[in-house]
PDB file of all heavy atoms in Angstrom:
ATOM      1  N   GLY A   1      -2.855  12.175  -7.787  1.00  0.00           N
ATOM      2  CA  GLY A   1      -3.054  10.907  -8.495  1.00  0.00           C
ATOM      3  C   GLY A   1      -4.309  10.189  -8.110  1.00  0.00           C
ATOM      4  O   GLY A   1      -4.815  10.312  -7.006  1.00  0.00           O
ATOM      5  N   ASN A   2      -4.791   9.400  -9.020  1.00  0.00           N
ATOM      6  CA  ASN A   2      -5.962   8.582  -8.852  1.00  0.00           C
ATOM      7  C   ASN A   2      -5.583   7.311  -8.102  1.00  0.00           C
ATOM      8  O   ASN A   2      -4.727   6.537  -8.574  1.00  0.00           O
ATOM      9  CB  ASN A   2      -6.537   8.267 -10.229  1.00  0.00           C
ATOM     10  CG  ASN A   2      -7.758   7.407 -10.173  1.00  0.00           C
ATOM     11  OD1 ASN A   2      -7.787   6.380  -9.494  1.00  0.00           O
ATOM     12  ND2 ASN A   2      -8.772   7.810 -10.913  1.00  0.00           N
ATOM     13  N   VAL A   3      -6.201   7.066  -6.961  1.00  0.00           N
ATOM     14  CA  VAL A   3      -5.848   5.919  -6.142  1.00  0.00           C
ATOM     15  C   VAL A   3      -6.074   4.590  -6.897  1.00  0.00           C
ATOM     16  O   VAL A   3      -5.325   3.651  -6.725  1.00  0.00           O
ATOM     17  CB  VAL A   3      -6.586   5.938  -4.800  1.00  0.00           C
ATOM     18  CG1 VAL A   3      -8.069   5.758  -4.986  1.00  0.00           C
ATOM     19  CG2 VAL A   3      -6.058   4.888  -3.865  1.00  0.00           C
ATOM     20  N   PHE A   4      -7.077   4.533  -7.757  1.00  0.00           N
ATOM     21  CA  PHE A   4      -7.338   3.320  -8.513  1.00  0.00           C
ATOM     22  C   PHE A   4      -6.195   3.033  -9.496  1.00  0.00           C
ATOM     23  O   PHE A   4      -5.790   1.883  -9.641  1.00  0.00           O
ATOM     24  CB  PHE A   4      -8.692   3.418  -9.237  1.00  0.00           C
ATOM     25  CG  PHE A   4      -9.841   3.574  -8.288  1.00  0.00           C
ATOM     26  CD1 PHE A   4     -10.417   4.808  -8.043  1.00  0.00           C
ATOM     27  CD2 PHE A   4     -10.344   2.469  -7.593  1.00  0.00           C
ATOM     28  CE1 PHE A   4     -11.452   4.953  -7.174  1.00  0.00           C
ATOM     29  CE2 PHE A   4     -11.384   2.606  -6.699  1.00  0.00           C
ATOM     30  CZ  PHE A   4     -11.942   3.864  -6.480  1.00  0.00           C
ATOM     31  N   SER A   5      -5.711   4.079 -10.152  1.00  0.00           N
ATOM     32  CA  SER A   5      -4.581   3.902 -11.047  1.00  0.00           C
ATOM     33  C   SER A   5      -3.292   3.587 -10.294  1.00  0.00           C
ATOM     34  O   SER A   5      -2.525   2.715 -10.691  1.00  0.00           O
ATOM     35  CB  SER A   5      -4.371   5.170 -11.902  1.00  0.00           C
ATOM     36  OG  SER A   5      -5.472   5.385 -12.716  1.00  0.00           O
ATOM     37  N   ARG A   6      -3.076   4.332  -9.217  1.00  0.00           N
ATOM     38  CA  ARG A   6      -1.834   4.131  -8.449  1.00  0.00           C
ATOM     39  C   ARG A   6      -1.741   2.686  -7.948  1.00  0.00           C
ATOM     40  O   ARG A   6      -0.697   2.057  -8.101  1.00  0.00           O
ATOM     41  CB  ARG A   6      -1.792   5.064  -7.249  1.00  0.00           C
ATOM     42  CG  ARG A   6      -1.271   6.430  -7.556  1.00  0.00           C
ATOM     43  CD  ARG A   6      -1.143   7.225  -6.248  1.00  0.00           C
ATOM     44  NE  ARG A   6      -0.645   8.541  -6.527  1.00  0.00           N
ATOM     45  CZ  ARG A   6       0.636   8.883  -6.372  1.00  0.00           C
ATOM     46  NH1 ARG A   6       1.497   8.033  -5.922  1.00  0.00           N
ATOM     47  NH2 ARG A   6       1.037  10.107  -6.649  1.00  0.00           N
ATOM     48  N   ILE A   7      -2.775   2.178  -7.326  1.00  0.00           N
ATOM     49  CA  ILE A   7      -2.696   0.859  -6.736  1.00  0.00           C
ATOM     50  C   ILE A   7      -2.974  -0.233  -7.781  1.00  0.00           C
ATOM     51  O   ILE A   7      -2.203  -1.206  -7.887  1.00  0.00           O
ATOM     52  CB  ILE A   7      -3.662   0.727  -5.546  1.00  0.00           C
ATOM     53  CG1 ILE A   7      -3.258   1.701  -4.435  1.00  0.00           C
ATOM     54  CG2 ILE A   7      -3.718  -0.696  -5.011  1.00  0.00           C
ATOM     55  CD1 ILE A   7      -4.233   1.831  -3.296  1.00  0.00           C
ATOM     56  N   GLY A   8      -4.038  -0.111  -8.531  1.00  0.00           N
ATOM     57  CA  GLY A   8      -4.454  -1.167  -9.430  1.00  0.00           C
ATOM     58  C   GLY A   8      -3.623  -1.318 -10.701  1.00  0.00           C
ATOM     59  O   GLY A   8      -3.473  -2.428 -11.212  1.00  0.00           O
ATOM     60  N   ARG A   9      -3.083  -0.226 -11.225  1.00  0.00           N
ATOM     61  CA  ARG A   9      -2.302  -0.286 -12.475  1.00  0.00           C
ATOM     62  C   ARG A   9      -0.810  -0.044 -12.264  1.00  0.00           C
ATOM     63  O   ARG A   9       0.022  -0.683 -12.871  1.00  0.00           O
ATOM     64  CB  ARG A   9      -2.868   0.709 -13.481  1.00  0.00           C
ATOM     65  CG  ARG A   9      -4.222   0.312 -13.983  1.00  0.00           C
ATOM     66  CD  ARG A   9      -4.623   1.112 -15.214  1.00  0.00           C
ATOM     67  NE  ARG A   9      -6.022   0.874 -15.504  1.00  0.00           N
ATOM     68  CZ  ARG A   9      -6.985   1.727 -15.274  1.00  0.00           C
ATOM     69  NH1 ARG A   9      -6.712   2.906 -14.777  1.00  0.00           N
ATOM     70  NH2 ARG A   9      -8.255   1.428 -15.562  1.00  0.00           N
ATOM     71  N   GLN A  10      -0.501   0.969 -11.459  1.00  0.00           N
ATOM     72  CA  GLN A  10       0.905   1.311 -11.207  1.00  0.00           C
ATOM     73  C   GLN A  10       1.540   0.296 -10.251  1.00  0.00           C
ATOM     74  O   GLN A  10       2.696   0.023 -10.345  1.00  0.00           O
ATOM     75  CB  GLN A  10       1.020   2.736 -10.629  1.00  0.00           C
ATOM     76  CG  GLN A  10       2.423   3.221 -10.422  1.00  0.00           C
ATOM     77  CD  GLN A  10       2.459   4.619  -9.815  1.00  0.00           C
ATOM     78  OE1 GLN A  10       1.451   5.255  -9.608  1.00  0.00           O
ATOM     79  NE2 GLN A  10       3.679   5.091  -9.545  1.00  0.00           N
ATOM     80  N   TRP A  11       0.727  -0.227  -9.325  1.00  0.00           N
ATOM     81  CA  TRP A  11       1.107  -1.152  -8.284  1.00  0.00           C
ATOM     82  C   TRP A  11       1.907  -0.423  -7.205  1.00  0.00           C
ATOM     83  O   TRP A  11       2.297   0.740  -7.351  1.00  0.00           O
ATOM     84  CB  TRP A  11       1.894  -2.339  -8.778  1.00  0.00           C
ATOM     85  CG  TRP A  11       1.262  -3.136  -9.865  1.00  0.00           C
ATOM     86  CD1 TRP A  11      -0.069  -3.188 -10.170  1.00  0.00           C
ATOM     87  CD2 TRP A  11       1.907  -4.050 -10.752  1.00  0.00           C
ATOM     88  NE1 TRP A  11      -0.298  -4.050 -11.216  1.00  0.00           N
ATOM     89  CE2 TRP A  11       0.906  -4.595 -11.594  1.00  0.00           C
ATOM     90  CE3 TRP A  11       3.219  -4.424 -10.940  1.00  0.00           C
ATOM     91  CZ2 TRP A  11       1.204  -5.516 -12.586  1.00  0.00           C
ATOM     92  CZ3 TRP A  11       3.515  -5.356 -11.927  1.00  0.00           C
ATOM     93  CH2 TRP A  11       2.518  -5.876 -12.744  1.00  0.00           C
ATOM     94  N   MET A  12       2.132  -1.125  -6.112  1.00  0.00           N
ATOM     95  CA  MET A  12       2.868  -0.556  -5.005  1.00  0.00           C
ATOM     96  C   MET A  12       3.710  -1.658  -4.357  1.00  0.00           C
ATOM     97  O   MET A  12       3.431  -2.838  -4.549  1.00  0.00           O
ATOM     98  CB  MET A  12       1.914   0.046  -3.951  1.00  0.00           C
ATOM     99  CG  MET A  12       0.963  -0.943  -3.327  1.00  0.00           C
ATOM    100  SD  MET A  12      -0.205  -0.087  -2.242  1.00  0.00           S
ATOM    101  CE  MET A  12      -1.294  -1.454  -1.811  1.00  0.00           C
ATOM    102  N   LEU A  13       4.729  -1.231  -3.634  1.00  0.00           N
ATOM    103  CA  LEU A  13       5.522  -2.161  -2.845  1.00  0.00           C
ATOM    104  C   LEU A  13       5.095  -2.016  -1.394  1.00  0.00           C
ATOM    105  O   LEU A  13       5.050  -0.889  -0.883  1.00  0.00           O
ATOM    106  CB  LEU A  13       7.012  -1.859  -2.980  1.00  0.00           C
ATOM    107  CG  LEU A  13       7.642  -2.131  -4.330  1.00  0.00           C
ATOM    108  CD1 LEU A  13       9.112  -1.719  -4.335  1.00  0.00           C
ATOM    109  CD2 LEU A  13       7.510  -3.600  -4.707  1.00  0.00           C
ATOM    110  N   VAL A  14       4.776  -3.097  -0.778  1.00  0.00           N
ATOM    111  CA  VAL A  14       4.484  -3.154   0.659  1.00  0.00           C
ATOM    112  C   VAL A  14       5.761  -3.651   1.323  1.00  0.00           C
ATOM    113  O   VAL A  14       6.251  -4.728   0.991  1.00  0.00           O
ATOM    114  CB  VAL A  14       3.317  -4.113   0.978  1.00  0.00           C
ATOM    115  CG1 VAL A  14       3.040  -4.143   2.470  1.00  0.00           C
ATOM    116  CG2 VAL A  14       2.072  -3.739   0.188  1.00  0.00           C
ATOM    117  N   THR A  15       6.310  -2.836   2.235  1.00  0.00           N
ATOM    118  CA  THR A  15       7.617  -3.114   2.808  1.00  0.00           C
ATOM    119  C   THR A  15       7.538  -2.981   4.323  1.00  0.00           C
ATOM    120  O   THR A  15       6.922  -2.061   4.839  1.00  0.00           O
ATOM    121  CB  THR A  15       8.666  -2.146   2.259  1.00  0.00           C
ATOM    122  OG1 THR A  15       8.603  -2.124   0.829  1.00  0.00           O
ATOM    123  CG2 THR A  15      10.070  -2.533   2.693  1.00  0.00           C
ATOM    124  N   ALA A  16       8.220  -3.893   5.023  1.00  0.00           N
ATOM    125  CA  ALA A  16       8.315  -3.809   6.462  1.00  0.00           C
ATOM    126  C   ALA A  16       9.642  -4.397   6.914  1.00  0.00           C
ATOM    127  O   ALA A  16      10.282  -5.137   6.165  1.00  0.00           O
ATOM    128  CB  ALA A  16       7.142  -4.562   7.136  1.00  0.00           C
ATOM    129  N   GLY A  17      10.031  -4.074   8.127  1.00  0.00           N
ATOM    130  CA  GLY A  17      11.283  -4.539   8.683  1.00  0.00           C
ATOM    131  C   GLY A  17      12.085  -3.365   9.183  1.00  0.00           C
ATOM    132  O   GLY A  17      11.565  -2.384   9.685  1.00  0.00           O
ATOM    133  N   THR A  18      13.396  -3.481   8.979  1.00  0.00           N
ATOM    134  CA  THR A  18      14.322  -2.451   9.373  1.00  0.00           C
ATOM    135  C   THR A  18      15.185  -2.076   8.173  1.00  0.00           C
ATOM    136  O   THR A  18      15.149  -2.751   7.147  1.00  0.00           O
ATOM    137  CB  THR A  18      15.254  -2.932  10.506  1.00  0.00           C
ATOM    138  OG1 THR A  18      16.080  -3.998   9.994  1.00  0.00           O
ATOM    139  CG2 THR A  18      14.487  -3.405  11.714  1.00  0.00           C
ATOM    140  N   LYS A  19      15.956  -1.018   8.310  1.00  0.00           N
ATOM    141  CA  LYS A  19      16.864  -0.635   7.217  1.00  0.00           C
ATOM    142  C   LYS A  19      17.829  -1.763   6.877  1.00  0.00           C
ATOM    143  O   LYS A  19      18.136  -2.013   5.738  1.00  0.00           O
ATOM    144  CB  LYS A  19      17.635   0.642   7.584  1.00  0.00           C
ATOM    145  CG  LYS A  19      18.495   1.153   6.457  1.00  0.00           C
ATOM    146  CD  LYS A  19      19.144   2.485   6.757  1.00  0.00           C
ATOM    147  CE  LYS A  19      19.908   2.935   5.541  1.00  0.00           C
ATOM    148  NZ  LYS A  19      20.442   4.285   5.717  1.00  0.00           N
ATOM    149  N   GLU A  20      18.272  -2.470   7.926  1.00  0.00           N
ATOM    150  CA  GLU A  20      19.244  -3.539   7.714  1.00  0.00           C
ATOM    151  C   GLU A  20      18.620  -4.851   7.216  1.00  0.00           C
ATOM    152  O   GLU A  20      19.252  -5.611   6.512  1.00  0.00           O
ATOM    153  CB  GLU A  20      19.981  -3.850   9.041  1.00  0.00           C
ATOM    154  CG  GLU A  20      20.787  -2.688   9.569  1.00  0.00           C
ATOM    155  CD  GLU A  20      19.951  -1.565  10.196  1.00  0.00           C
ATOM    156  OE1 GLU A  20      18.859  -1.848  10.733  1.00  0.00           O
ATOM    157  OE2 GLU A  20      20.370  -0.396  10.100  1.00  0.00           O
ATOM    158  N   ARG A  21      17.352  -5.074   7.555  1.00  0.00           N
ATOM    159  CA  ARG A  21      16.695  -6.319   7.168  1.00  0.00           C
ATOM    160  C   ARG A  21      15.215  -6.070   6.953  1.00  0.00           C
ATOM    161  O   ARG A  21      14.440  -5.979   7.913  1.00  0.00           O
ATOM    162  CB  ARG A  21      16.897  -7.404   8.210  1.00  0.00           C
ATOM    163  CG  ARG A  21      16.335  -8.727   7.763  1.00  0.00           C
ATOM    164  CD  ARG A  21      16.942  -9.897   8.537  1.00  0.00           C
ATOM    165  NE  ARG A  21      16.525 -11.137   7.919  1.00  0.00           N
ATOM    166  CZ  ARG A  21      15.596 -11.935   8.439  1.00  0.00           C
ATOM    167  NH1 ARG A  21      15.025 -11.640   9.570  1.00  0.00           N
ATOM    168  NH2 ARG A  21      15.271 -13.045   7.814  1.00  0.00           N
ATOM    169  N   CYS A  22      14.852  -5.965   5.691  1.00  0.00           N
ATOM    170  CA  CYS A  22      13.431  -5.756   5.377  1.00  0.00           C
ATOM    171  C   CYS A  22      13.041  -6.684   4.237  1.00  0.00           C
ATOM    172  O   CYS A  22      13.884  -7.309   3.600  1.00  0.00           O
ATOM    173  CB  CYS A  22      13.203  -4.278   4.961  1.00  0.00           C
ATOM    174  SG  CYS A  22      14.064  -3.724   3.501  1.00  0.00           S
ATOM    175  N   ASN A  23      11.758  -6.772   4.026  1.00  0.00           N
ATOM    176  CA  ASN A  23      11.254  -7.500   2.869  1.00  0.00           C
ATOM    177  C   ASN A  23      10.145  -6.688   2.235  1.00  0.00           C
ATOM    178  O   ASN A  23       9.466  -5.917   2.899  1.00  0.00           O
ATOM    179  CB  ASN A  23      10.741  -8.897   3.255  1.00  0.00           C
ATOM    180  CG  ASN A  23      10.654  -9.787   2.031  1.00  0.00           C
ATOM    181  OD1 ASN A  23      11.633 -10.093   1.400  1.00  0.00           O
ATOM    182  ND2 ASN A  23       9.447 -10.185   1.676  1.00  0.00           N
ATOM    183  N   THR A  24       9.989  -6.874   0.937  1.00  0.00           N
ATOM    184  CA  THR A  24       9.019  -6.115   0.170  1.00  0.00           C
ATOM    185  C   THR A  24       8.296  -7.039  -0.784  1.00  0.00           C
ATOM    186  O   THR A  24       8.815  -8.095  -1.161  1.00  0.00           O
ATOM    187  CB  THR A  24       9.699  -4.962  -0.586  1.00  0.00           C
ATOM    188  OG1 THR A  24       8.713  -4.087  -1.101  1.00  0.00           O
ATOM    189  CG2 THR A  24      10.612  -5.438  -1.692  1.00  0.00           C
ATOM    190  N   MET A  25       7.102  -6.671  -1.121  1.00  0.00           N
ATOM    191  CA  MET A  25       6.323  -7.404  -2.114  1.00  0.00           C
ATOM    192  C   MET A  25       5.466  -6.439  -2.928  1.00  0.00           C
ATOM    193  O   MET A  25       5.083  -5.365  -2.450  1.00  0.00           O
ATOM    194  CB  MET A  25       5.409  -8.428  -1.452  1.00  0.00           C
ATOM    195  CG  MET A  25       4.384  -7.849  -0.507  1.00  0.00           C
ATOM    196  SD  MET A  25       3.181  -9.036   0.108  1.00  0.00           S
ATOM    197  CE  MET A  25       1.907  -8.857  -1.168  1.00  0.00           C
ATOM    198  N   THR A  26       5.198  -6.808  -4.152  1.00  0.00           N
ATOM    199  CA  THR A  26       4.338  -5.998  -5.007  1.00  0.00           C
ATOM    200  C   THR A  26       2.886  -6.308  -4.670  1.00  0.00           C
ATOM    201  O   THR A  26       2.523  -7.451  -4.453  1.00  0.00           O
ATOM    202  CB  THR A  26       4.617  -6.351  -6.486  1.00  0.00           C
ATOM    203  OG1 THR A  26       5.996  -6.062  -6.754  1.00  0.00           O
ATOM    204  CG2 THR A  26       3.745  -5.525  -7.427  1.00  0.00           C
ATOM    205  N   ALA A  27       2.065  -5.262  -4.648  1.00  0.00           N
ATOM    206  CA  ALA A  27       0.648  -5.436  -4.398  1.00  0.00           C
ATOM    207  C   ALA A  27      -0.164  -4.560  -5.354  1.00  0.00           C
ATOM    208  O   ALA A  27       0.266  -3.451  -5.690  1.00  0.00           O
ATOM    209  CB  ALA A  27       0.326  -5.070  -2.947  1.00  0.00           C
ATOM    210  N   SER A  28      -1.306  -5.078  -5.737  1.00  0.00           N
ATOM    211  CA  SER A  28      -2.226  -4.298  -6.575  1.00  0.00           C
ATOM    212  C   SER A  28      -3.625  -4.251  -5.963  1.00  0.00           C
ATOM    213  O   SER A  28      -4.574  -3.849  -6.609  1.00  0.00           O
ATOM    214  CB  SER A  28      -2.296  -4.871  -7.994  1.00  0.00           C
ATOM    215  OG  SER A  28      -2.800  -6.196  -7.945  1.00  0.00           O
ATOM    216  N   TRP A  29      -3.713  -4.698  -4.712  1.00  0.00           N
ATOM    217  CA  TRP A  29      -4.953  -4.600  -3.950  1.00  0.00           C
ATOM    218  C   TRP A  29      -4.687  -3.732  -2.737  1.00  0.00           C
ATOM    219  O   TRP A  29      -3.722  -3.932  -2.020  1.00  0.00           O
ATOM    220  CB  TRP A  29      -5.400  -5.967  -3.462  1.00  0.00           C
ATOM    221  CG  TRP A  29      -5.897  -6.915  -4.508  1.00  0.00           C
ATOM    222  CD1 TRP A  29      -5.806  -6.793  -5.858  1.00  0.00           C
ATOM    223  CD2 TRP A  29      -6.560  -8.156  -4.284  1.00  0.00           C
ATOM    224  NE1 TRP A  29      -6.361  -7.865  -6.484  1.00  0.00           N
ATOM    225  CE2 TRP A  29      -6.844  -8.732  -5.510  1.00  0.00           C
ATOM    226  CE3 TRP A  29      -6.948  -8.837  -3.106  1.00  0.00           C
ATOM    227  CZ2 TRP A  29      -7.496  -9.944  -5.653  1.00  0.00           C
ATOM    228  CZ3 TRP A  29      -7.596 -10.055  -3.280  1.00  0.00           C
ATOM    229  CH2 TRP A  29      -7.877 -10.593  -4.520  1.00  0.00           C
ATOM    230  N   GLY A  30      -5.550  -2.774  -2.522  1.00  0.00           N
ATOM    231  CA  GLY A  30      -5.391  -1.906  -1.365  1.00  0.00           C
ATOM    232  C   GLY A  30      -6.317  -0.708  -1.490  1.00  0.00           C
ATOM    233  O   GLY A  30      -7.128  -0.637  -2.422  1.00  0.00           O
ATOM    234  N   GLY A  31      -6.182   0.194  -0.574  1.00  0.00           N
ATOM    235  CA  GLY A  31      -7.038   1.374  -0.620  1.00  0.00           C
ATOM    236  C   GLY A  31      -6.501   2.484   0.254  1.00  0.00           C
ATOM    237  O   GLY A  31      -5.644   2.272   1.128  1.00  0.00           O
ATOM    238  N   LEU A  32      -6.991   3.665   0.002  1.00  0.00           N
ATOM    239  CA  LEU A  32      -6.669   4.845   0.804  1.00  0.00           C
ATOM    240  C   LEU A  32      -7.968   5.522   1.173  1.00  0.00           C
ATOM    241  O   LEU A  32      -8.922   5.548   0.377  1.00  0.00           O
ATOM    242  CB  LEU A  32      -5.818   5.840  -0.014  1.00  0.00           C
ATOM    243  CG  LEU A  32      -4.488   5.322  -0.562  1.00  0.00           C
ATOM    244  CD1 LEU A  32      -3.820   6.409  -1.400  1.00  0.00           C
ATOM    245  CD2 LEU A  32      -3.587   4.877   0.555  1.00  0.00           C
ATOM    246  N   GLY A  33      -8.003   6.060   2.376  1.00  0.00           N
ATOM    247  CA  GLY A  33      -9.214   6.766   2.814  1.00  0.00           C
ATOM    248  C   GLY A  33      -9.038   7.292   4.201  1.00  0.00           C
ATOM    249  O   GLY A  33      -7.913   7.569   4.671  1.00  0.00           O
ATOM    250  N   VAL A  34     -10.131   7.438   4.917  1.00  0.00           N
ATOM    251  CA  VAL A  34     -10.136   7.962   6.271  1.00  0.00           C
ATOM    252  C   VAL A  34     -10.815   6.929   7.169  1.00  0.00           C
ATOM    253  O   VAL A  34     -11.922   6.453   6.833  1.00  0.00           O
ATOM    254  CB  VAL A  34     -10.866   9.315   6.348  1.00  0.00           C
ATOM    255  CG1 VAL A  34     -10.898   9.827   7.772  1.00  0.00           C
ATOM    256  CG2 VAL A  34     -10.199  10.345   5.438  1.00  0.00           C
ATOM    257  N   LEU A  35     -10.171   6.578   8.247  1.00  0.00           N
ATOM    258  CA  LEU A  35     -10.730   5.653   9.229  1.00  0.00           C
ATOM    259  C   LEU A  35     -10.372   6.158  10.621  1.00  0.00           C
ATOM    260  O   LEU A  35      -9.216   6.538  10.852  1.00  0.00           O
ATOM    261  CB  LEU A  35     -10.198   4.246   9.004  1.00  0.00           C
ATOM    262  CG  LEU A  35     -10.743   3.173   9.956  1.00  0.00           C
ATOM    263  CD1 LEU A  35     -12.227   2.966   9.773  1.00  0.00           C
ATOM    264  CD2 LEU A  35      -9.984   1.860   9.753  1.00  0.00           C
ATOM    265  N   TRP A  36     -11.328   6.152  11.506  1.00  0.00           N
ATOM    266  CA  TRP A  36     -11.115   6.582  12.874  1.00  0.00           C
ATOM    267  C   TRP A  36     -10.565   8.027  12.905  1.00  0.00           C
ATOM    268  O   TRP A  36      -9.727   8.375  13.740  1.00  0.00           O
ATOM    269  CB  TRP A  36     -10.221   5.629  13.638  1.00  0.00           C
ATOM    270  CG  TRP A  36     -10.788   4.222  13.704  1.00  0.00           C
ATOM    271  CD1 TRP A  36     -12.103   3.889  13.894  1.00  0.00           C
ATOM    272  CD2 TRP A  36     -10.082   3.018  13.527  1.00  0.00           C
ATOM    273  NE1 TRP A  36     -12.224   2.517  13.874  1.00  0.00           N
ATOM    274  CE2 TRP A  36     -11.004   1.941  13.648  1.00  0.00           C
ATOM    275  CE3 TRP A  36      -8.741   2.685  13.295  1.00  0.00           C
ATOM    276  CZ2 TRP A  36     -10.665   0.606  13.541  1.00  0.00           C
ATOM    277  CZ3 TRP A  36      -8.398   1.364  13.191  1.00  0.00           C
ATOM    278  CH2 TRP A  36      -9.346   0.342  13.302  1.00  0.00           C
ATOM    279  N   GLY A  37     -11.030   8.824  11.942  1.00  0.00           N
ATOM    280  CA  GLY A  37     -10.643  10.231  11.888  1.00  0.00           C
ATOM    281  C   GLY A  37      -9.207  10.472  11.408  1.00  0.00           C
ATOM    282  O   GLY A  37      -8.714  11.593  11.512  1.00  0.00           O
ATOM    283  N   ARG A  38      -8.562   9.472  10.850  1.00  0.00           N
ATOM    284  CA  ARG A  38      -7.160   9.587  10.411  1.00  0.00           C
ATOM    285  C   ARG A  38      -7.023   9.116   8.972  1.00  0.00           C
ATOM    286  O   ARG A  38      -7.708   8.198   8.537  1.00  0.00           O
ATOM    287  CB  ARG A  38      -6.257   8.710  11.274  1.00  0.00           C
ATOM    288  CG  ARG A  38      -6.390   8.938  12.754  1.00  0.00           C
ATOM    289  CD  ARG A  38      -5.569  10.123  13.164  1.00  0.00           C
ATOM    290  NE  ARG A  38      -5.538  10.204  14.621  1.00  0.00           N
ATOM    291  CZ  ARG A  38      -5.310  11.284  15.276  1.00  0.00           C
ATOM    292  NH1 ARG A  38      -5.075  12.394  14.631  1.00  0.00           N
ATOM    293  NH2 ARG A  38      -5.304  11.280  16.576  1.00  0.00           N
ATOM    294  N   PRO A  39      -6.079   9.720   8.218  1.00  0.00           N
ATOM    295  CA  PRO A  39      -5.798   9.201   6.882  1.00  0.00           C
ATOM    296  C   PRO A  39      -5.236   7.778   7.039  1.00  0.00           C
ATOM    297  O   PRO A  39      -4.399   7.519   7.892  1.00  0.00           O
ATOM    298  CB  PRO A  39      -4.744  10.154   6.321  1.00  0.00           C
ATOM    299  CG  PRO A  39      -4.167  10.855   7.504  1.00  0.00           C
ATOM    300  CD  PRO A  39      -5.208  10.839   8.586  1.00  0.00           C
ATOM    301  N   SER A  40      -5.770   6.872   6.226  1.00  0.00           N
ATOM    302  CA  SER A  40      -5.445   5.450   6.396  1.00  0.00           C
ATOM    303  C   SER A  40      -5.218   4.766   5.052  1.00  0.00           C
ATOM    304  O   SER A  40      -5.702   5.213   4.018  1.00  0.00           O
ATOM    305  CB  SER A  40      -6.574   4.752   7.134  1.00  0.00           C
ATOM    306  OG  SER A  40      -6.793   5.316   8.391  1.00  0.00           O
ATOM    307  N   ALA A  41      -4.477   3.672   5.119  1.00  0.00           N
ATOM    308  CA  ALA A  41      -4.223   2.843   3.957  1.00  0.00           C
ATOM    309  C   ALA A  41      -4.507   1.405   4.318  1.00  0.00           C
ATOM    310  O   ALA A  41      -4.297   0.987   5.472  1.00  0.00           O
ATOM    311  CB  ALA A  41      -2.762   2.993   3.508  1.00  0.00           C
ATOM    312  N   THR A  42      -4.979   0.640   3.334  1.00  0.00           N
ATOM    313  CA  THR A  42      -5.179  -0.786   3.546  1.00  0.00           C
ATOM    314  C   THR A  42      -4.309  -1.564   2.575  1.00  0.00           C
ATOM    315  O   THR A  42      -4.069  -1.123   1.437  1.00  0.00           O
ATOM    316  CB  THR A  42      -6.653  -1.194   3.348  1.00  0.00           C
ATOM    317  OG1 THR A  42      -7.049  -0.866   2.022  1.00  0.00           O
ATOM    318  CG2 THR A  42      -7.553  -0.520   4.334  1.00  0.00           C
ATOM    319  N   ALA A  43      -3.860  -2.688   3.044  1.00  0.00           N
ATOM    320  CA  ALA A  43      -3.107  -3.624   2.190  1.00  0.00           C
ATOM    321  C   ALA A  43      -3.634  -5.034   2.521  1.00  0.00           C
ATOM    322  O   ALA A  43      -4.009  -5.305   3.647  1.00  0.00           O
ATOM    323  CB  ALA A  43      -1.612  -3.529   2.467  1.00  0.00           C
ATOM    324  N   TYR A  44      -3.630  -5.868   1.517  1.00  0.00           N
ATOM    325  CA  TYR A  44      -4.144  -7.237   1.665  1.00  0.00           C
ATOM    326  C   TYR A  44      -2.996  -8.200   1.369  1.00  0.00           C
ATOM    327  O   TYR A  44      -2.419  -8.153   0.293  1.00  0.00           O
ATOM    328  CB  TYR A  44      -5.315  -7.463   0.698  1.00  0.00           C
ATOM    329  CG  TYR A  44      -6.448  -6.490   0.940  1.00  0.00           C
ATOM    330  CD1 TYR A  44      -6.480  -5.263   0.287  1.00  0.00           C
ATOM    331  CD2 TYR A  44      -7.447  -6.794   1.839  1.00  0.00           C
ATOM    332  CE1 TYR A  44      -7.495  -4.355   0.531  1.00  0.00           C
ATOM    333  CE2 TYR A  44      -8.479  -5.894   2.101  1.00  0.00           C
ATOM    334  CZ  TYR A  44      -8.486  -4.691   1.427  1.00  0.00           C
ATOM    335  OH  TYR A  44      -9.487  -3.804   1.696  1.00  0.00           O
TER     336      TYR A  44
END
């Protein structure tokens, strides 16, 4: 998939917490790439 379509048009859920208590939000800003020699993702 195209990262621009996935994030900018399809959108994504950014989620953190635990299985018992988490929160999520929709985001359409972010990126995927390589940083410090590792596959990386950004969220704003």
Side-chain angles (χ1 to χ4, degrees):
N2 179 311
V3 67
F4 297 101
S5 296
R6 277 186 179 260
I7 296 171
R9 290 194 191 106
Q10 184 181 357
W11 305 340
M12 61 185 174
L13 291 177
V14 179
T15 310
T18 65
K19 184 174 184 174
E20 297 74 31
R21 185 160 189 255
C22 63
N23 198 63
T24 191
M25 61 172 270
T26 301
S28 62
W29 290 12
L32 302 177
V34 177
L35 181 65
W36 301 318
R38 306 279 188 203
S40 301
T42 59
Y44 302 89

